[in-house]
């Protein structure tokens, strides 16, 4: 049933000469109550708003008069208005608030006209039904236009940000001017410093929708990567905001570096993520490279560390595996305890006499090497690498035995 068919045509004839005045009144109401529309009356956009209101009123009057029964013209007009609001940078809630205010202002003028024409209650009810139908169509059309334009804008913005990410990690590094130009196009404020998060697990582009504003992301890369601007100033808030996108997935936060060194942060984050997969670093949750620098340093050149271990740990090569493991962990604990028997015993949760017995064996194997500062450093490096990469070994108190030593060796 068409609600406009029951509104008297004489109302259309009465309202038509006053449409410009009503449009001005409606526009003034919106500008007064919605700050985003508060502009000088001669502003080009204000004239556009007034023209849009006038067109909506004209369409309404035409439908009452039977000239334009279909609401298609309303839909087209306000879809374009909704798209235009995205271009002006206004959100959907602002547009909807303006439409509601404008609708109320127009309805007051309709009721005044109804009083002057002495419409009966049935005619007023039909007028209300028609007005609400027209307003609903306007609101729906404007929302559709705004949503369509916003999605198109977001898609273009994401494409620009993907290009920006590719440029930031390009080899050779791009010029600062090129980065600044694309950052402006991508609406990404240039930070002073950044940190890159390498993310493991199944890469899903939809996870980017869960990220806070300002974070550049490529969740389809291998590994997936996030660029966090100025992480030292955002504090824990960014961590909480990132949680939905990272939930259940291993991730490594690279060091905070100047923007020009962003590739270094990614390199270390990706390296840490690889060590997480291998079990060298904790394999779940989010880790910070800054907390595992010694391990990352040890694994920066694994063949070189293996060569070092082969040379400096040669005295242990002929010892059977179980005894070798006990001697190695004792020697590492002794070096970390600054040659203290008591400190070593406490680290390993064994009797000091056991430490002395093992150290006598080690002194026979290594001789004066244990007293040379450079040799001690090389031994500790080799033993830490060996402890971090070796298979778990049982101990009398496994919860705080070799596992603790390995963890301490990994974290430095």
């Amino acid at each position: 049933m068409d609600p406009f068919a029951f509104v008297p045509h004489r109302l259309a004839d009465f309202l038509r000469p006053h449409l410009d005045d009503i449009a001005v009144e409606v526009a003034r109401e919106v500008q007064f109550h919605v700050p985003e529309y508060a502009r000088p009356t001669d502003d080009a956009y204000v004239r556009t708003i007034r023209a849009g209101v006038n067109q909506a009123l004209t369409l309404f009057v035409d439908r009452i008069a039977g000239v334009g029964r279909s609401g298609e013209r309303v839909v087209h007009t306000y879809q374009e208005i909704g798209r235009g609001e995205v271009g002006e940078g206004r959100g959907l809630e602002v547009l909807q608030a303006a439409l509601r205010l404008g609708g109320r202002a127009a309805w007051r003028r309709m009721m005044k006209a109804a009083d002057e024409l002495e419409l009966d209650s049935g005619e007023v009810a039909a007028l209300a039904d028609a007005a609400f139908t027209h307003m609903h169509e306007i609101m729906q059309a404007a929302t559709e236009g705004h949503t369509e334009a916003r999605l198109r804008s977001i898609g273009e913005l994401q494409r620009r940000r993907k290009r920006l990410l590719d440029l930031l990690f390009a080899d050779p590094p791009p010029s600062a001017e090129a980065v600044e130009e694309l950052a402006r196009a991508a609406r990404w404020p240039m930070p002073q410093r950044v940190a890159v998060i390498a993310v493991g697990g199944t890469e899903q582009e939809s996870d980017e929708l869960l990220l806070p504003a300002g974070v550049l992301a490529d969740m389809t890369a291998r590994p997936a990567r996030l660029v966090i601007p100025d992480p030292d100033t955002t504090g824990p808030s960014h961590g909480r905001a990132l949680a939905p996108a990272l939930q259940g997935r291993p991730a490594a936060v690279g060091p905070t570096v100047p923007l020009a060194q962003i590739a270094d942060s990614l390199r270390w984050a990706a390296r840490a993520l690889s060590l997480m997969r291998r079990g060298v670093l904790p394999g779940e949750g989010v880790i910070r490279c800054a907390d595992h620098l010694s391990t990352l340093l040890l694994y920066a050149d694994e063949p070189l560390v293996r060569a070092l271990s082969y040379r400096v740990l040669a005295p242990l090569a002929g010892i059977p595996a179980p005894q070798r493991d006990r001697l190695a962990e004792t020697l590492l604990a002794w070096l970390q305890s600054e040659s203290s028997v008591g400190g070593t015993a406490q680290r390993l949760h064994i009797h000091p006499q056991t430490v002395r017995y093992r150290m006598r064996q080690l002194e026979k194997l290594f001789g004066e090497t244990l007293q040379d500062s450079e040799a001690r450093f090389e031994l500790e490096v080799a033993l830490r690498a060996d402890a971090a990469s070796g298979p778990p070994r049982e101990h009398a108190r496994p919860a705080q035995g070799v596992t603790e030593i390995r963890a301490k060796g990994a974290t430095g």
Side-chain angles (χ1 to χ4, degrees):
M1 185 180 296
D2 183 6
F4 292 90
F6 299 94
V7 182
H9 286 192
R10 69 181 187 278
L11 178 61
D13 296 334
F14 180 84
L15 288 173
R16 203 176 293 280
H18 305 289
L19 292 183
D20 287 342
D21 293 337
I22 298 174
V24 170
E25 184 178 331
V26 169
R28 187 184 301 121
E29 182 85 0
V30 170
Q31 286 184 277
F32 182 78
H33 290 286
V34 185
E36 287 83 355
Y37 292 90
R39 297 186 180 187
T41 55
D42 61 346
D43 183 89
Y45 191 72
V46 172
R47 292 196 297 272
T48 301
I49 295 174
R50 197 176 300 149
V53 173
N54 201 318
Q55 188 169 7
L57 292 169
T58 301
L59 291 170
F60 181 72
V61 169
D62 286 348
R63 296 175 84 178
I64 292 174
V67 176
R69 290 292 188 200
S70 172
E72 290 180 7
R73 290 169 62 198
V74 176
V75 170
H76 177 73
T77 297
Y78 274 84
Q79 281 179 340
E80 286 301 316
I81 288 176
R83 295 184 189 106
E85 290 296 280
V86 174
E88 288 286 326
R90 279 187 282 272
L92 182 58
E93 67 285 352
V94 174
L95 173 59
Q96 291 177 336
L99 291 174
R100 284 192 293 269
L101 279 168
R104 285 201 293 267
W107 176 247
R108 288 196 296 269
R109 289 298 298 264
M110 298 292 171
M111 291 305 297
K112 183 178 179 181
D115 287 341
E116 293 185 25
L117 292 175
E118 298 180 348
L119 300 185
D120 61 34
S121 59
E123 291 171 327
V124 171
L127 173 62
D129 196 9
F132 292 138
T133 297
H134 192 69
M135 191 63 208
H136 174 73
E137 291 171 353
I138 285 175
M139 186 76 77
Q140 188 174 34
T143 300
E144 288 174 358
H146 190 282
T147 302
E148 175 197 328
R150 183 172 177 274
L151 289 175
R152 190 165 59 243
S153 175
I154 290 173
E156 177 59 28
L157 194 63
Q158 287 179 330
R159 285 190 289 274
R160 290 177 183 177
R161 291 192 168 190
K162 287 286 177 61
R163 291 200 299 271
L164 176 59
L165 265 177
D166 291 341
L167 185 65
L168 288 172
F169 293 115
D171 185 18
S175 67
E177 293 76 12
V179 173
E180 289 173 7
E181 182 178 351
L182 190 48
R184 280 194 298 270
R187 299 180 189 173
W188 191 63
M190 292 273 288
Q192 292 295 316
R193 299 174 69 79
V194 293
V196 180
I197 302 180
V199 185
T202 304
E203 290 81 9
Q204 299 178 8
E205 195 166 2
S206 59
D207 289 339
E208 295 179 22
L209 301 176
L210 304 174
L211 296 170
V215 174
L216 295 181
D218 186 354
M219 302 304 287
T220 61
R222 292 184 179 275
R225 58 193 63 169
L226 310 176
V227 175
I228 313 301
D230 293 318
D232 296 335
T233 59
T234 54
S237 60
H238 249 139
R240 291 190 294 270
L242 289 169
L246 300 180
Q247 188 173 12
R249 300 169 67 174
V253 184
T256 299
V257 296
L259 183 59
Q261 298 172 21
I262 188 172
D264 292 334
S265 187
L266 173 61
R267 179 164 53 86
W268 285 112
R271 186 61 173 157
L273 188 65
S274 173
L275 295 178
M276 291 173 72
R277 295 192 189 103
R278 292 166 54 183
V280 176
L281 293 176
E284 296 181 357
V286 180
I287 68 165
R288 297 172 65 251
C289 287
D291 297 334
H292 301 278
L293 292 179
S294 60
T295 301
L296 290 169
L297 182 60
L298 283 175
Y299 282 83
D301 191 333
E302 293 187 57
L304 184 62
V305 173
R306 284 196 295 269
L308 175 67
S309 297
Y310 180 80
R311 179 174 63 82
V312 301
L313 298 181
L316 294 173
I319 308 297
Q323 184 183 1
R324 178 191 185 282
D325 292 345
R326 288 193 295 271
L327 291 175
E329 69 180 9
T330 301
L331 180 55
L332 177 58
W334 183 76
L335 292 168
Q336 292 173 326
S337 302
E338 299 180 352
S339 309
S340 167
V341 170
T344 303
Q346 187 174 7
R347 280 176 179 267
L348 298 179
H349 299 280
I350 58 178
H351 196 278
Q353 190 61 34
T354 303
V355 175
R356 293 189 185 94
Y357 171 73
R358 292 180 184 176
M359 288 307 303
R360 283 195 294 270
Q361 291 179 287
L362 288 165
E363 287 168 358
K364 290 179 181 178
L365 291 168
F366 288 91
E368 295 182 358
T369 299
L370 298 183
Q371 308 306 318
D372 182 87
S373 59
E374 184 172 344
R376 286 164 63 101
F377 172 77
E378 291 182 345
L379 274 170
E380 186 169 353
V381 168
L383 289 165
R384 285 189 182 214
D386 184 61
S389 59
R393 297 187 289 267
E394 293 185 357
H395 191 273
R397 298 182 61 176
Q400 299 191 15
V402 177
T403 303
E404 181 186 51
I405 297 298
R406 185 176 294 111
K408 289 180 180 295
T411 58

